[in-house]
Amino acid sequence: FNPSRIVHPFGIRTASWDETLYAIGECARIAYEQFFVFQPNMNKLDMYRLDLAADFGPLTDMQRVMHQAKTVKAFQGANPEVWFAPNGIDIETVYFKSATRGKFRIYDKTAQAGLPVNIIRVEYETTRAIYKSQGTPTVGDITHEVVQTLFKSRLEPLIRALNPLQQRSVDEIT
């Protein structure tokens, strides 16, 4: 499920870790009321996936950034998949995947959400293996610091290589 859709009806803004915990709690409450005869403990739920995302904009040249995204080495040996806009010319999404390390998506959030300004979203979809190897296999093990570390180690290098705003580096996540 997408917590940003719970905390923001149109899912345009990304959800913070605190908002994500709230959304997980609401889903667990609904599951308990509708399906289970026991009270699930949110902190003991297994972590399987977390999408880390960063938005950049407004961009003056969306296609420059999208063409730069095709050249980024997200994973060793992983070639990008490129998805084009209906006009067949403009790039809307550049996608990298690794069975063991997750998936990266770089996409035109403006086209997806119908926004009035050019915004690009960079997303990293984590895998369960990451949480198990780091000793954080449950929701209760995940803290703001764990999310910060994942962002800095996994997403920041890609953003630096992409350089979407040609000046900004990632220093802090909220």
Side-chain angles (χ1 to χ4, degrees), residues 119-169:
I119 294 178
I120 194 167
R121 177 163 289 173
V122 180
E123 263 181 12
Y124 174 56
E125 180 183 310
T126 62
T127 64
R128 175 141 176 82
I130 289 170
Y131 301 107
K132 290 176 83 174
S133 71
Q134 292 185 340
T136 57
T138 66
V139 171
D141 297 322
I142 305 298
T143 63
H144 184 71
E145 291 73 28
V146 170
V147 174
Q148 286 278 357
T149 300
L150 276 170
F151 190 93
K152 292 221 176 255
S153 67
R154 307 295 176 149
L155 201 53
E156 185 176 15
L158 181 72
I159 292 169
R160 286 185 189 275
L162 190 59
N163 194 12
L165 298 179
Q166 297 182 330
Q167 80 246 6
R168 178 178 173 187
S169 66

Side-chain angles (χ1 to χ4, degrees), residues 15 31 49 51 53 59 66 87-89 91 93 96 110 113 119 126 131 133 136-138 141 147 161:
R49 175 179 152 183
D51 290 0
L59 300 178
M66 297 308 284
N87 68 12
I89 299 169
I91 299 172
T93 303
F96 299 89
T110 307
I119 294 178
T126 62
Y131 301 107
S133 71
T136 57
T138 66
D141 297 322
V147 174

Side-chain angles (χ1 to χ4, degrees), residues 1 6 21-33 35-36 40 45:
F1 79 103
I6 293 171
L21 288 175
Y22 166 78
I24 292 169
E26 285 299 296
C27 290
R29 181 187 58 77
I30 292 167
Y32 167 70
E33 291 172 357
F35 304 107
F36 299 116
L45 295 174

Side-chain angles (χ1 to χ4, degrees), residues 7-150:
V7 298
H8 189 274
F10 299 106
I12 295 170
R13 184 178 63 76
T14 59
S16 70
W17 181 243
D18 289 337
E19 291 170 327
T20 299
L21 288 175
Y22 166 78
I24 292 169
E26 285 299 296
C27 290
R29 181 187 58 77
I30 292 167
Y32 167 70
E33 291 172 357
Q34 301 294 320
F35 304 107
F36 299 116
V37 294
F38 61 92
Q39 176 94 22
N41 182 338
M42 183 178 79
N43 289 325
K44 292 186 178 180
L45 295 174
D46 289 336
M47 271 306 285
Y48 280 90
R49 175 179 152 183
L50 178 66
D51 290 0
L52 304 172
D55 292 341
F56 296 90
L59 300 178
T60 55
D61 188 354
M62 176 70 74
Q63 288 306 302
R64 178 201 65 80
V65 176
M66 297 308 284
H67 282 280
Q68 176 69 19
K70 292 188 320 185
T71 68
V72 170
K73 298 294 182 199
F75 300 116
Q76 186 174 347
N79 293 320
E81 294 179 29
V82 178
W83 297 337
F84 291 92
N87 68 12
I89 299 169
D90 294 333
I91 299 172
E92 279 192 359
T93 303
V94 178
Y95 182 75
F96 299 89
K97 60 184 170 182
S98 165
T100 58
R101 292 180 287 166
K103 300 173 186 171
F104 276 110
R105 281 183 289 283
I106 304 159
Y107 62 93
D108 180 351
K109 187 67 177 174
T110 307
Q112 183 209 35
L115 301 176
V117 297
N118 283 337
I119 294 178
I120 194 167
R121 177 163 289 173
V122 180
E123 263 181 12
Y124 174 56
E125 180 183 310
T126 62
T127 64
R128 175 141 176 82
I130 289 170
Y131 301 107
K132 290 176 83 174
S133 71
Q134 292 185 340
T136 57
T138 66
V139 171
D141 297 322
I142 305 298
T143 63
H144 184 71
E145 291 73 28
V146 170
V147 174
Q148 286 278 357
T149 300
L150 276 170

